[in-house]
Each structure stands twice: as C-alpha cells, then as structure tokens.
Amino acid sequence: AVPNFSIERPGVGKIEWEGAVDVRGIDLDQVVVIEPKSASVYTKEEEENRKPPVGTKLNRSAIITLEGVYAPEATFESQEKFSKKVERQTKKMGAQLIDYDATSGVWKLKVQHFSRYALDDEDDDSS
C-alpha cells in the first residue's frame, strides 16, 4: 500500500487519497481521469459492474482539487451566483465542499468514494 497517494494533471486538477492505498494491478491511465472541471475514477468499471467495493483500492475517501473552474463572467454578481452553483453541485453529488475560490478558480472537495465528480456547463444555473 502507498501512503499519501495522489495523481495530478498540472493546471487541471489533482486527486489525493487518504490513508494508505493498494494500487497493485491498477492501470492508472485507464482508471483515473482528470479533465477540466471533472475527476472520475472507475467510470468504465462502474458501467460494467466491476468497480471495487467502497473502501478498497482507489474507491475510497479522497480530496479532489479542480483548477480553472471560473464563473462565465468576472463580475462580482456572476462570481457569487457561480459560487452558489458550485456549492449546490458539490452537495448534489454527495461530496463535501472544502473550498471554492472564484478568483483563482480552484474547487476543492472531499469525497467518500468514487464515481464522477464534475461541474457540467449544462447543470442548472438558477438560484
């Protein structure tokens, strides 16, 4: 098991798993996907009912940091509205919001297990 295991895509995001993680036999390039405004682990495995049980392998608690998550406009009102959207989306996904900084565009959240965590442009913008 690897303590403090993390995977980062510079300028896009990072996943930091808590505790020691058993990474034996995991094709990290296939299993972990970090894209703009999105991080997912075991997406294909979940579709095929092959995802490891919660608490094992990479399907465990982690801190996700996503960069470049900005409001559509740099106005104060737009940033306020967008911050609320980020907060709502975080709760809707069953994650815990650690921090969102509208100025730096950094969204940090804690998850207990993995599926896909993202802020999609199609998500409802209403308050």
Side-chain angles (χ1 to χ4, degrees):
V2 180
N4 305 314
F5 183 69
S6 68
I7 295 179
E8 181 174 8
R9 184 171 168 198
V12 180
K14 177 163 84 170
I15 303 173
E16 303 167 271
W17 282 269
E18 299 183 322
V21 182
D22 178 5
V23 295
R24 293 174 296 179
I26 300 174
D27 182 345
L28 297 171
D29 290 329
Q30 291 294 314
V31 170
V32 179
V33 179
I34 300 172
E35 297 176 325
K37 299 183 188 177
S38 159
S40 60
V41 178
Y42 294 125
T43 304
K44 187 177 177 198
E45 289 77 5
E46 188 166 19
E47 290 168 1
E48 298 170 355
N49 254 347
R50 297 185 301 114
K51 186 167 79 169
V54 172
T56 64
K57 298 289 186 177
L58 299 177
N59 194 16
R60 56 189 300 131
S61 62
I63 304 293
I64 301 173
T65 303
L66 296 172
E67 301 174 39
V69 182
Y70 293 105
E73 299 168 35
T75 64
F76 178 78
E77 291 82 16
S78 180
Q79 288 180 340
E80 281 292 300
K81 186 176 178 183
F82 193 77
S83 292
K84 287 183 172 65
K85 175 183 175 178
V86 168
E87 196 172 327
R88 278 194 315 272
Q89 184 63 18
T90 304
K91 284 180 185 167
K92 187 174 156 187
M93 295 182 300
Q96 176 189 343
L97 181 66
I98 293 172
D99 188 43
Y100 173 67
D101 186 321
T103 307
S104 67
V106 175
W107 178 23
K108 196 169 188 174
L109 56 149
K110 181 175 181 175
V111 301
Q112 294 304 316
H113 62 87
F114 269 94
S115 64
R116 180 172 181 268
Y117 295 94
L119 187 70
D120 296 317
D121 292 330
E122 308 84 56
D123 287 334
D124 183 49
D125 270 337
S126 64
S127 294

